[in-house]
């Protein structure tokens, strides 16, 4: 028999979870709303608002170092605190439930510290409020991720995963496009206030409409040392979960990596520092990623209930790897002129640059298939009563992937770009795209180490 989450590892017996009623589409929409707000906030901050603040206070000369410091602080909190907050919520008992108090308190902190960011008058204040914001956000996010499996029946995990995948894409799109428009035409403070409003509205919907009745999994921690050792040692007893996290880390490294460097690719290969055309092409590619991901998320999630999770994680990784690999050759004409010329006229960019944007379809399919099934597969292999701890721990792969991808890409790009061309490109781009494609490929293959857990 394939080991299930209840038999794998050496976990102590936990109290049975109450039976979960079957959810309808309205339930899934409400359950996913806070995920949109989280995606909107971090996409807005990471892609637009924080760089804007950094440039204002430190200038272009030291912006890379300043961004690196902020990202390091943020990643440290996301990796360290979110699993602990999730584990604390697993063991909490209050009249309001075990997850709701953390979601409410964390969101209130988010709003306070976002206002602090908006009113900051120096880089030092930005650093302080960004650290506090990471603490508050991860206080809410770990328990929120634990609330999802508390209320979703096992047979509806695929449906729930599809909704969460779509919510993730909507948050990404709104944070990229919506905040960009607000920041450009209204300014930084209105942009930050939209984040506050969305967080509060979706938080209230979550705690008022989603029940929080699951019993705590064990007694509360008695010391800081016990909290840390238990949080970071428990997942090590579940080999399937660890293989899944390794696959997740590598797949996300490839996806985040190519998105992080595609702007530099267009600027150096096609437009030679023409900012307007570079932005147009970059947003066209990223827009195709979002649209393709949106279209495939729901069908992939539903199909995974019938055909298993592994084939779709494998497909997502392979499609992403193929897309990144094609990007290495997109400066050669691969498609007929009848397709490229109308697209080039619409985007007002050269035909080969327009061809490169179409790679977003491959990457978007991989992105959408992966994210729509990933959550359900994690739920299949973790102990449900400790979902807060394990879902928080899974954020190590999420947060760590971006840091590792940008460090590797940044370390390799500049020295190879100063060397000879490779495949007709500045040498750094074939090198980093090969690394990201290999990361996606290996991550996809590692999923074969995770056994499917079928419902009995």
């Amino acid at each position: 028999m394939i080991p299930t989450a209840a038999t794998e590892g050496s976990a102590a017996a936990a109290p049975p979870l109450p039976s979960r009623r079957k959810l309808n589409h309205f339930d899934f929409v409400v359950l996913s709303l806070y995920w949109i707000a989280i995606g909107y906030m971090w996409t807005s901050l990471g892609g637009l608002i924080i760089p804007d603040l950094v440039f204002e206070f430190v200038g272009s000369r030291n912006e890379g170092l300043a961004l690196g410091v902020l990202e390091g602080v943020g990643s440290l909190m996301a990796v360290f605190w979110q699993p602990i907050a999730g584990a604390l919520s697993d063991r909490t008992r209050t009249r309001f439930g075990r997850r709701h108090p953390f979601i409410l308190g964390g969101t209130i902190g988010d709003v306070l510290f976002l206002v602090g960011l908006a009113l900051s008058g120096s880089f030092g204040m930005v650093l302080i409020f960004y650290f506090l914001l990471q603490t508050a956000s991860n206080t809410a996010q770990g328990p929120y991720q634990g609330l999802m499996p508390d209320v979703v029946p096992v047979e509806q995990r695929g449906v729930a995963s599809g909704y969460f995948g779509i919510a993730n894409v909507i948050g990404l799109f709104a944070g990229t496009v919506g905040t960009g428009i607000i920041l450009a035409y209204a300014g930084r403070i209105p942009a930050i206030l939209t984040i506050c409003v969305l967080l509060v509205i979706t938080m209230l919907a979550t705690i008022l409409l989603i029940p929080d009745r699951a019993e705590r999994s064990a007694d509360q921690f008695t010391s800081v040392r016990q909290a840390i050792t238990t949080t970071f040692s428990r997942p090590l007893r579940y080999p399937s979960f660890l293989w899944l996290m390794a696959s997740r880390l590598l797949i996300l490294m490839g996806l985040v990596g190519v998105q992080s460097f595609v702007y530099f690719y267009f600027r150096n290969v096609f437009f030679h520092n023409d900012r307007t055309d570079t932005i147009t092409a970059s947003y066209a590619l990223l827009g195709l990623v979002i649209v393709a991901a949106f279209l495939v998320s729901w069908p992939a999630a539903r199909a995974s209930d019938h055909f298993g999770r592994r084939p779709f994680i494998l497909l997502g990784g392979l499609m992403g790897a193929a897309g990144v690999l094609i990007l290495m050759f997109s400066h050669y004409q691969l498609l007929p002129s009848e397709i490229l010329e109308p697209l080039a006229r619409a985007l007002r960019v050269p035909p080969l640059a327009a061809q490169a944007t179409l790679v977003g379809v491959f990457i978007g399919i991989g992105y959408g298939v992966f994210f729509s099934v990933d959550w359900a597969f994690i739920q299949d292999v973790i102990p449900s009563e400790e979902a807060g701890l394990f879902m928080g721990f899974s954020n190590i792969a999420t947060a760590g992937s971006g840091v590792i991808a940008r460090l590797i890409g940044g370390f390799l790009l500049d020295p190879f770009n100063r060397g000879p061309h490779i495949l007709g490109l500045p040498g750094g781009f074939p090198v980093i795209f090969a690394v990201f494609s290999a990361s996606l490929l290996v991550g996809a293959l590692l999923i074969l180490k995770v056994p499917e857990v079928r419902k009995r």
Side-chain angles (χ1 to χ4, degrees), residues 15 38 46 78 85 91 161 224 238 240 253-254 270 308 317-318 334 338 348 358 379-380 384 411 425 431 435 440:
I38 292 172
R91 296 162 176 258
S161 193
V224 173
Y238 290 79
S240 293
M253 276 178 55
F270 296 106
L318 293 178
L334 306 174
E338 292 78 8
R348 297 181 181 178
L358 296 177
Q379 300 312 310
D380 289 346
S384 297
F411 179 79
L425 292 172
V431 170
V435 170
L440 282 155

Side-chain angles (χ1 to χ4, degrees), residues 255 316-326 363 433 436-441:
L255 292 173
L318 293 178
M319 286 295 293
V324 178
L325 199 61
I326 293 171
I363 297 173
F433 288 160
F436 296 147
S437 183
S439 178
L440 282 155
L441 176 61

